[in-house]
């Protein structure tokens, strides 16, 4: 009712058609395949989000009078979701009157899960409806999957961006450090360029400060090195001058030339004599090689080498590693202990020494020095290893020979203990031969 001026005075009644309720439900965005409907306790549809005729024909093919039309039952809806949900409600609650509070459940319809929410609405003046909303689980999960995909894509994008940024930052940090490393290498090789760090020293961060300190240090090292080189060059020049002056002084003395001639003749004479030595014949005199054939002796010669020494030269000294086995082909040597100045013995042509230290892997216990011009046949560790691997019987012969020198082994026992090589002293005492075999097998991989 409006006043004469058009102002609203009041409302006596409001008429809302059921079709308007259906239009409202149809306008709701539930889900792509979702639906909603309002149903009375009797099971007839009041309104539906699905467009369909809610009035049905009677038995004679005609609708009842407008005052009493035939209403569409929910179980007869053309929409499978509404029809299936209505059937599920009846199956769960026997009749719709039993639903007094909001209910939620899910059920399978044609192999697909449906999520259902039922909310009763009563106004106390005869209005008693059930509002039902249906959402297929696939629609519900679709949003979750979509959000998950978006999250994964964003995470991967963030990871790629972080990786690229990290690489860029690492490159920005590492590049000057690599430049510093290259400069240090140049300094080591003597190729330092004072301008090589200019691009790094221009930086204002801690790396630039470090580069400036490094450049200052490098310049000082370079300058000092150049000074050392200049001093060394000057010293070399002075040394050369002194040598030339000494040589001129010696050359002024005629006896100097005589001495040179005598030494030259002596060297040529001894070299010729050394060439005449029959190495094979001398090697066969060594007890270890008595059974070797001429071919095997020749192979032995190829595994070792000759060494020519003059009087007073040291062959080996005590406490040095036992890395070679010596056989005297010409001349003689003396063996003594330097620490206590004790003479032990002299050895001549055909004898050998040094095998115990080599075979047991212990330092020398005595010093050996030549008494005259001497030629030695030397078999080092590598050569002996080849020999022992090629001739298995030889290893046993050597072990037997070492075992016979019990007194010498006993003298080495204390040294073996100090070196931690004699962890089983009782086994050594009871079966020294077995211990020697094991030691040789360990050292030479037999």
């Amino acid at each position: 009712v409006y006043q004469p001026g058009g102002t609203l005075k009041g409302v006596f009644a409001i008429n809302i058609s059921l079709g308007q309720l259906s239009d409202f439900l149809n306008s709701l965005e539930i889900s792509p395949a979702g639906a909603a409907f309002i149903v009375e306790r009797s099971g007839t549809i009041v309104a539906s989000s699905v467009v369909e005729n809610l009035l049905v024909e009677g038995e004679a093919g005609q609708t009842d009078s407008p005052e009493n039309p035939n209403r569409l039952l929910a179980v007869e809806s053309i929409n499978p979701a509404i029809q299936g949900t209505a059937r599920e409600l009846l199956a769960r609650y026997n009749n719709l009157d039993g639903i007094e509070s909001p209910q939620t459940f899910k059920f399978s319809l044609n192999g697909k899960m449906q999520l259902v929410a039922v909310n009763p609405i009563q106004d106390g003046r005869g209005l008693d409806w059930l509002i039902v909303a249906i959402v297929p689980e696939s629609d519900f999960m679709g949003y979750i999957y979509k959000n998950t995909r978006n999250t994964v894509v964003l995470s991967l994008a963030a990871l790629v961006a972080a990786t690229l940024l990290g690489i860029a930052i690492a490159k920005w940090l590492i590049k000057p450090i690599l430049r510093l490393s290259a400069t240090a290498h140049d300094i080591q090789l003597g190729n330092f360029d004072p301008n090589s760090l200019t691009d790094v020293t221009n930086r204002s961060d801690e790396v630039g400060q470090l580069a400036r300190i490094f450049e200052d240090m490098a310049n000082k090292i370079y300058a000092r090195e150049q000074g050392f080189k200049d001093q060394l060059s000057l010293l070399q020049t002075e040394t050369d001058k002194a040598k030339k002056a000494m040589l001129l002084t010696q050359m002024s003395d005629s006896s100097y030339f005589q001495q040179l001639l005598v030494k030259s003749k002596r060297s040529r004479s001894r070299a010729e004599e050394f060439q005449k030595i029959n190495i094979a014949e001398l090697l066969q005199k060594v007890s270890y090689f008595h059974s070797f054939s001429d071919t095997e002796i020749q192979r032995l010669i190829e595994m070792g080498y000759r060494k020519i020494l003059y009087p007073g030269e040291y062959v080996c000294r005590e406490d040095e590693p036992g890395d070679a086995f010596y056989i005297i082909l010409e001349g003689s040597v003396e063996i003594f202990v330097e620490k206590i100045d004790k003479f032990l013995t002299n050895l001549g042509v055909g004898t050998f020494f040094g095998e115990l230290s080599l075979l047991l892997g212990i330092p020398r216990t005595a010093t050996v020095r030549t008494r005259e011009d001497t030629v030695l046949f030397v078999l080092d560790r590598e050569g002996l290893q080849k020999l022992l691997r090629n001739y298995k019987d030889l290893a046993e012969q050597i072990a037997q020979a070492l075992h016979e020198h019990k007194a010498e082994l006993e003298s080495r026992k204390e040294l073996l203990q100090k070196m931690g090589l004699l962890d089983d002293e009782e086994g050594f005492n009871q079966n020294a031969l077995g211990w020697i075999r094991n030691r040789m097998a360990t050292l030479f991989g037999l």
Side-chain angles (χ1 to χ4, degrees):
V1 178
Y2 295 89
Q3 292 180 349
T7 305
L8 179 66
K9 184 67 176 179
V11 178
F12 286 100
I14 298 175
N15 294 324
I16 299 177
S17 68
L18 297 182
Q20 288 177 299
L21 289 178
S22 294
D23 293 339
F24 171 73
L25 293 179
N26 185 259
S27 68
L28 297 178
E29 295 183 3
I30 301 173
S31 75
F37 64 97
I38 302 174
V39 64
E40 293 182 344
R41 298 286 181 169
S42 63
T44 58
I45 297 177
V46 176
S48 172
S49 64
V50 177
V51 179
E52 61 178 325
N53 189 1
L54 302 183
L55 299 177
V56 296
E57 295 181 353
E59 295 181 359
Q62 302 291 330
T63 60
D64 291 343
S65 63
E67 291 79 6
N68 188 24
N70 286 334
R71 304 275 299 283
L72 178 66
L73 293 173
V75 293
E76 297 176 354
S77 172
I78 62 174
N79 184 269
I82 295 177
Q83 183 183 124
T85 302
R87 295 180 184 278
E88 183 67 20
L89 285 171
L90 292 174
R92 283 176 177 265
Y93 303 102
N94 295 327
N95 58 68
L96 301 183
D97 294 332
I99 303 175
E100 299 295 338
S101 61
Q103 303 290 327
T104 58
F105 61 90
K106 62 181 179 178
F107 72 101
S108 177
L109 179 63
N110 298 327
K112 297 182 180 179
M113 295 302 297
Q114 308 291 321
L115 305 178
V116 180
V118 182
N119 190 32
I121 179 170
Q122 297 171 329
D123 64 352
R125 292 187 292 274
L127 186 64
D128 189 6
W129 292 345
L130 297 176
I131 302 175
V132 184
I134 312 160
V135 178
E137 189 178 45
S138 58
D139 289 356
F140 176 75
M141 294 303 296
Y143 292 110
I144 297 177
Y145 293 149
K146 183 179 179 180
N147 290 334
T148 302
R149 285 194 298 270
N150 293 338
T151 302
V152 171
V153 171
L154 291 175
S155 299
L156 289 175
L159 177 62
V160 171
T163 302
L164 294 176
L165 182 61
I167 292 173
I169 294 175
K171 185 177 181 181
W172 181 72
L173 291 174
I174 293 175
K175 186 176 180 180
I177 296 176
L178 293 176
R179 181 66 265 175
L180 291 175
S181 177
T183 302
H185 185 64
D186 292 340
I187 294 175
Q188 184 180 8
L189 298 178
N191 300 326
F192 173 64
D193 180 7
N195 299 321
S196 61
L197 293 176
T198 303
D199 55 338
V200 185
T201 55
N202 291 334
R203 293 169 61 121
S204 58
D205 56 4
E206 289 80 358
V207 177
Q209 182 179 2
L210 176 63
R212 288 189 289 274
I213 296 173
F214 189 84
E215 184 181 44
D216 181 62
M217 179 184 66
N219 286 328
K220 290 180 179 179
I221 293 175
Y222 183 71
R224 185 174 299 175
E225 185 178 356
Q226 289 299 117
F228 285 154
K229 287 182 178 179
D230 294 340
Q231 292 180 8
L232 184 61
S233 178
L234 180 61
L235 181 61
Q236 186 65 41
T237 302
E238 295 295 330
T239 302
D240 291 342
K241 289 181 180 179
K243 286 182 178 180
K244 289 180 180 178
M246 184 181 295
L247 182 60
L248 290 174
T249 302
Q250 290 176 343
M251 291 179 63
S252 63
D253 185 3
S254 60
S255 62
Y256 176 73
F257 291 102
Q258 295 296 330
Q259 292 175 3
L260 287 179
L261 289 174
V262 171
K263 288 183 178 179
S264 176
K265 288 181 179 179
R266 181 184 177 190
S267 297
R268 287 197 301 270
S269 175
R270 294 305 298 168
E272 291 174 357
E273 291 180 10
F274 292 157
Q275 293 295 331
K276 297 177 182 179
I277 296 174
N278 190 334
I279 300 178
E281 182 179 344
L282 290 174
L283 288 177
Q284 281 187 323
K285 293 181 180 180
V286 177
S287 58
Y288 295 145
F289 311 130
H290 280 331
S291 61
F292 273 35
S293 64
D294 293 341
T295 303
E296 291 171 336
I297 287 292
Q298 189 59 41
R299 290 178 183 171
L300 173 62
I301 293 173
E302 293 173 357
M303 293 178 186
Y305 60 91
R306 286 189 311 169
K307 187 174 183 179
I308 300 175
L309 300 172
Y310 294 100
E313 288 193 64
Y314 288 93
V315 180
C316 57
R317 309 187 78 159
E318 55 198 81
D319 296 328
E320 290 180 348
D323 56 1
F325 167 43
Y326 302 95
I327 301 172
I328 302 175
L329 303 178
E330 181 72 16
S332 61
V333 298
E334 59 177 339
I335 302 178
F336 60 96
V337 181
E338 284 187 277
K339 291 180 182 178
I340 57 177
D341 193 21
K342 178 182 178 181
F343 171 79
L344 298 179
T345 186
N346 290 327
L347 298 178
V349 176
T351 58
F352 52 89
F353 59 91
E355 78 282 5
L356 194 62
S357 296
L358 175 61
L359 292 168
L360 298 183
I362 58 177
R364 306 289 187 190
T365 55
T367 297
V368 181
R369 182 172 55 196
T370 58
R371 301 175 65 244
E372 55 184 314
D373 294 335
T374 303
V375 181
L376 300 175
F377 178 76
V378 185
L379 192 62
D380 59 18
R381 181 179 297 277
E382 183 178 355
L384 182 60
Q385 187 176 39
K386 291 180 180 178
L387 183 66
L388 295 178
R389 286 182 175 180
N390 290 336
Y391 302 99
K392 302 295 185 181
D393 294 341
L394 179 60
E396 180 61 25
Q397 293 178 26
I398 293 176
Q400 292 284 355
L402 291 177
H403 180 245
E404 293 174 1
H405 297 287
K406 292 185 179 179
E408 193 168 0
L409 283 174
E410 286 294 330
S411 66
R412 300 294 200 281
K413 183 187 293 186
E414 184 177 353
L415 178 60
L416 291 169
Q417 291 173 335
K418 288 182 179 180
M419 294 179 64
L421 301 177
L422 194 60
D423 53 356
D424 184 12
E425 184 176 354
E426 183 178 353
F428 177 84
N429 294 332
Q430 294 179 357
N431 187 7
L433 178 59
W435 184 89
I436 293 171
R437 288 171 180 159
N438 293 334
R439 181 65 182 161
M440 288 175 60
T442 301
L443 285 176
F444 298 100
L446 303 179

